[in-house]
C-alpha cells in the first residue's frame, strides 16, 4: 500500500514539474516574448557599441596628446589651448572690410555620456 502511494505521489510530482517546465518554455516562445528579448539584446548591443566608441575616442585623444607633446605642437604661443578659430562675417552692410568681420573663439566641449542611461 505504501509503495503504491509513493509511486503515485512521485508520478504526480513529476507531472506537475513537467507541466510547469513546458508552460514556461511556451511563454518564452510567444511572439511578444521573442520581440521583447530581441529588443533587449539590441539595446545591450547598442550600449556595448557606444562603450567601444567612447573607449576608441578616449584612446585617440590620448594618442593625439602624446603625438602633440612629442612633436612640440603644444608649445605654440599663438594658438589658444583647447580652442579653435571660427571666422564669422558680419553682413549687416554687405561690406568686405576687415572691421565688419569678427573672429569668435569657440571652446571645444566634451559631451558627457551617462553609461547607465536607458534608451
Amino acid at each position: 500500500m505504501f509503495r503504491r502511494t509513493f509511486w503515485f505521489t512521485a508520478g504526480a510530482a513529476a507531472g506537475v514539474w513537467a507541466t510547469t517546465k513546458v508552460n514556461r518554455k511556451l511563454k518564452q516562445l510567444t511572439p511578444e516574448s521573442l520581440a521583447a528579448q530581441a529588443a533587449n539584446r539590441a539595446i545591450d548591443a547598442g550600449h556595448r557599441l557606444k562603450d567601444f566608441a567612447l573607449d576608441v575616442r578616449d584612446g585617440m585623444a590620448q594618442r593625439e596628446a602624446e603625438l602633440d607633446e612629442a612633436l612640440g605642437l603644444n608649445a605654440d604661443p599663438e594658438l589658444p589651448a583647447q580652442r579653435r578659430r571660427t571666422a564669422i562675417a558680419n553682413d549687416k552692410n554687405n561690406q568686405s572690410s576687415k572691421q565688419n568681420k569678427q573672429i569668435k573663439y569657440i571652446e571645444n566641449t566634451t559631451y558627457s555620456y551617462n553609461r547607465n542611461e536607458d534608451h
Side-chain angles (χ1 to χ4, degrees):
M1 175 82 174
F2 288 112
R3 194 190 282 175
R4 287 183 183 173
T5 307
F6 170 75
W7 287 113
F8 177 76
T9 307
V16 168
W17 177 78
T19 304
T20 305
K21 271 295 235 194
V22 168
N23 284 337
R24 283 184 187 165
K25 194 55 141 175
L26 287 175
K27 285 181 183 178
Q28 286 179 352
L29 296 176
T30 61
E32 295 85 13
S33 177
L34 291 175
Q37 290 174 8
N40 288 338
R41 288 184 182 162
I43 289 172
D44 290 341
H47 285 301
R48 285 193 305 268
L49 186 63
K50 279 186 179 180
D51 291 342
F52 175 72
L54 288 173
D55 290 342
V56 168
R57 184 180 296 168
D58 291 342
M60 285 174 26
Q62 180 182 1
R63 182 64 179 148
E64 185 178 355
E66 290 172 1
L67 291 173
D68 285 348
E69 184 177 332
L71 296 173
L73 296 178
N74 289 335
D76 192 5
E78 294 179 15
L79 296 176
Q82 295 292 327
R83 292 187 177 191
R84 65 180 175 180
R85 243 184 193 181
T86 305
I88 300 174
N90 186 1
D91 292 329
K92 286 184 180 176
N93 296 327
N94 237 353
Q95 296 177 358
S96 62
S97 67
K98 291 182 181 179
Q99 294 175 351
N100 287 337
K101 291 187 178 181
Q102 298 176 350
I103 296 177
K104 181 179 179 181
Y105 290 98
I106 300 173
E107 290 186 28
N108 285 340
T109 58
T110 57
Y111 298 100
S112 66
Y113 171 70
N114 184 1
R115 293 183 182 195
N116 297 323
E117 183 179 56
D118 290 330
H119 294 279

